[in-house]
Amino acid sequence: MKQLFILVVSLVVSTQLLAQKEKFDLVTYTPPANWKKEVQQNVVAYTLMSKDKKTYCQIGVYKSTSSKGSIELDFESEWNDLVVKTYKPTVAPEANEVIEADGWKVKSGASNFSFDGGTSMVLLTTMSGFNRVVSIIALTNSQEYLKNIEEFLSSIDLEKPKETPVPPANNQTADNSIMGTWTATSSDNSDYRVKNGVMNYIMKQYTFNTDGTYLFVS
């Protein structure tokens, strides 16, 4: 009985360890078990290959970038930058309807591309919100991995990015040494003007206020 208890506990602990979440940038997810992990500066990827079946699947989580302003523009930009330039798909993506969740908008699209003498599928899932955009790319040449892709995408949690403080419109930290009224005067008293009775006088006055505004009189 004791040995059976230890076995059950070990199985539970192993399952919990396999289901532990990982985080990359704004994305928290459950990584696929026993897949090869590769971390780069802008992407973390998980790959599984079967030499016997000659099949593979790769899922990549890309670091967030600045949004273009809408989910449509973000998806188009991510498709061109992350998919078209790298994999050169043969047809335009078949895209799903946009869905919304917790302030994020999500759009997915898939297409085919040629790889290693065969045909593979590329699936792009783009999430846009809070002035940021996050993308997940899945690649595979077999339908047997579709469940893995679905499980990975369903495990994703997105973190709302921290707000960047906006500086006040009026600079309250301006150098007070320039505050107040500044006056400059000038005149032209050349011999010609003095002999011919021509006299002139110019005054320029600036008044600098603490709220960053100023008044100019000439």
Side-chain angles (χ1 to χ4, degrees):
M1 180 65 70
K2 183 178 179 181
Q3 292 179 344
L4 178 60
F5 175 76
I6 294 175
L7 177 60
V8 172
V9 172
S10 299
L11 290 175
V12 172
V13 172
S14 298
T15 303
Q16 290 176 343
L17 290 175
L18 292 177
Q20 283 184 344
K21 293 275 190 174
E22 292 190 8
K23 188 175 185 297
F24 181 73
D25 193 32
L26 301 178
V27 185
T28 301
Y29 55 89
T30 302
N34 303 319
W35 288 35
K36 180 182 178 182
K37 179 180 178 181
E38 182 179 3
V39 180
Q40 299 181 12
Q41 182 177 0
N42 296 321
V43 60
V44 55
Y46 297 87
T47 306
L48 182 64
M49 301 182 64
S50 173
K51 295 182 179 179
D52 296 334
K53 299 179 181 179
K54 296 183 179 180
T55 60
Y56 79 96
C57 183
Q58 184 179 80
I59 302 174
V61 182
Y62 286 79
K63 190 175 182 179
S64 65
T65 57
S66 298
S67 171
K68 301 296 187 295
S70 70
I71 182 60
E72 289 78 13
L73 292 176
D74 287 337
F75 179 84
E76 181 180 358
S77 176
E78 296 290 274
W79 181 266
N80 289 329
D81 292 343
L82 301 179
V83 178
V84 174
K85 293 181 180 180
T86 304
Y87 305 106
K88 298 177 175 57
T90 55
V91 295
E94 293 186 13
N96 295 337
E97 294 293 330
V98 176
I99 60 175
E100 298 187 35
D102 196 25
W104 294 88
K105 293 184 177 180
V106 184
K107 184 175 182 179
S108 297
S111 185
N112 295 330
F113 68 99
S114 298
F115 176 72
D116 198 22
T119 301
S120 292
M121 178 199 74
V122 52
L123 171 66
L124 169 68
T125 301
T126 297
M127 294 153 281
S128 176
F130 309 98
N131 298 318
R132 303 297 294 176
V133 56
V134 178
S135 285
I136 312 291
I137 287 185
L139 311 168
T140 186
N141 63 349
S142 174
Q143 294 186 5
E144 66 179 292
Y145 298 109
L146 295 182
K147 182 179 179 181
N148 299 97
I149 297 173
E150 180 182 353
E151 290 176 348
F152 184 89
L153 293 175
S154 64
S155 74
I156 289 177
D157 290 320
L158 289 176
E159 173 187 333
K160 294 180 181 179
K162 297 180 180 178
E163 296 183 0
T164 303
V166 179
N170 297 325
N171 186 4
Q172 301 296 336
T173 61
D175 186 357
N176 290 328
S177 63
I178 68 170
M179 300 306 167
T181 301
W182 294 64
T183 303
T185 61
S186 63
S187 62
D188 185 356
N189 293 326
S190 63
D191 291 340
Y192 172 81
R193 286 178 174 268
V194 172
K195 290 179 181 180
N196 289 276
V198 180
M199 302 296 292
N200 70 319
Y201 176 82
I202 299 175
M203 181 183 72
K204 297 180 180 180
Q205 180 175 291
Y206 289 88
T207 300
F208 295 98
N209 303 314
T210 56
D211 62 358
T213 62
Y214 69 90
L215 175 66
F216 171 70
V217 178
S218 177

